[in-house]
Amino acid sequence: MDSIAELMVAPIIIFMVIVAPIWIVMHYRSQRKISQGLSEEEIAQLQMLARQGEQMRERIKTLESILDADSPKWRER
């Protein structure tokens, strides 16, 4: 039984000295980033995507109105 305990000591020490501190630092770094919210670049990208979405909506409306005029039953296909 003592030999199993002795074998487990080294991995536990390595974990506590190397892995655990890195894990804790990375955890709190990610928590800080989450609490800060979006960066300026991310906000700009989000606004650009919203504008592109509006443009696409207008284009789709225009295409649908053209199709409605040319082929009234196109939606049934």
Side-chain angles (χ1 to χ4, degrees):
M1 195 68 162
D2 288 330
S3 64
I4 294 174
E6 290 173 4
L7 290 174
M8 294 299 293
V9 170
I12 290 173
I13 291 173
I14 291 172
F15 178 82
M16 296 299 287
V17 171
I18 297 172
V19 177
I22 294 172
W23 190 352
I24 292 170
V25 168
M26 297 300 282
H27 169 73
Y28 284 109
R29 183 183 294 172
S30 69
Q31 292 297 317
R32 186 173 28 123
K33 281 187 176 184
I34 290 171
S35 68
Q36 287 178 348
L38 298 175
S39 68
E40 295 294 325
E41 182 180 328
E42 291 169 333
I43 292 172
Q45 287 177 339
L46 189 59
Q47 290 172 342
M48 181 188 70
L49 287 171
R51 282 193 306 271
Q52 288 177 344
E54 285 297 320
Q55 290 172 347
M56 287 180 70
R57 183 184 312 195
E58 292 300 318
R59 289 177 181 172
I60 290 170
K61 279 182 167 179
T62 303
L63 289 171
E64 286 179 345
S65 64
I66 291 170
L67 283 171
D68 285 336
D70 288 347
S71 178
K73 296 185 180 184
W74 70 271
R75 293 180 194 256
E76 296 172 6
R77 294 184 197 173

